[in-house]
Amino acid sequence: MNAYTETVLTPAGPFTFAVDDSGAILWARFDNGTYRPTDAEERALQSFTLREDPARTARAAEQLREYTAGHRRTFDLPVILDGTPWQQSIWTALQRIPFGETRTYAQLAEMVGRPTAVRAVGRANATNRIPLIIPCHRVIGASGSLTGFAGGPQLKAALLEHEARVASGQPLSTDAPASTAVGPATGSDRAWQTRLI
């Protein structure tokens, strides 16, 4: 199976994503993030051949550029969500957290009708392979701490700050990354192929 990759600059730095033949998002990661692959993720990736095809990645790249520029608050992209029904219920709930807002893990548990399943919510949130598009960065600790983001707290902070500025109508930082695509992932950038979220 083919996977087509591209890297786009975002408020949290370079973001590499992969789509299938139809343009559906397969996985994504922040290039500056810290990720540990699971055995299942590594085995799943072994069946993919990474390719470059800007026509297949164009829709996702454009929406990511719009997000970075402050012109998009939600994504309208097909995604491939392989997971248990529980995981999928959490990933669906994540998409209902409004732009510029956060929820605690306990609030997310309540959103899916399982208020005592806070730890299970955290585990399902951590298995999200499509950060930013499936906005797991909007979930915070009960104390307001930036916990549980596989890419690292600095990336989560950058995304939340960006969304807060856009939501409040403040101008975007002049030191934010440009809203242009970096291009297809090549060479050493492909090392991430076995490092999913």
Side-chain angles (χ1 to χ4, degrees), residues 102-179:
T102 59
R103 299 291 184 269
T104 65
Y105 291 96
Q107 290 171 319
L108 190 56
E110 290 176 15
M111 287 172 65
V112 297
R114 301 272 308 274
T116 61
V118 177
R119 288 186 184 197
V121 164
R123 283 191 300 276
N125 194 46
T127 61
N128 173 22
R129 296 183 311 150
I130 309 174
L132 182 56
I133 296 165
I134 308 290
C136 54
H137 63 279
R138 295 180 187 154
V139 182
I140 59 174
S143 66
S145 60
L146 302 183
T147 62
F149 191 63
Q154 75 285 1
L155 300 180
K156 186 174 198 168
L159 294 172
L160 292 175
E161 180 181 331
H162 170 76
E163 292 186 5
R165 291 180 76 81
V166 171
S168 68
Q170 295 178 22
L172 296 179
S173 174
T174 57
D175 61 352
S179 61

Side-chain angles (χ1 to χ4, degrees), residues 25-113:
I25 305 287
L26 294 165
W27 66 82
R29 75 180 282 272
F30 289 95
D31 295 6
N32 299 330
T34 53
Y35 303 97
R36 292 184 57 224
T38 66
D39 290 339
E41 290 167 341
E42 288 186 24
R43 284 194 303 274
L45 277 176
Q46 292 172 3
S47 66
F48 287 99
T49 301
L50 297 181
R51 301 196 183 281
E52 299 170 6
D53 187 342
R56 292 184 198 273
T57 58
R59 181 176 177 200
E62 179 62 23
Q63 288 193 25
L64 288 161
R65 286 191 296 273
E66 292 169 353
Y67 171 89
T68 298
H71 302 301
R72 176 172 288 276
R73 294 177 179 221
T74 61
F75 293 97
D76 179 26
L77 297 168
V79 295
I80 305 294
L81 296 175
D82 291 327
T84 66
W86 169 252
Q87 289 170 319
Q88 291 190 24
S89 72
I90 299 304
W91 301 332
T92 299
L94 289 171
Q95 295 175 76
R96 294 195 314 261
I97 301 172
F99 180 94
E101 296 183 20
T102 59
R103 299 291 184 269
T104 65
Y105 291 96
Q107 290 171 319
L108 190 56
E110 290 176 15
M111 287 172 65
V112 297

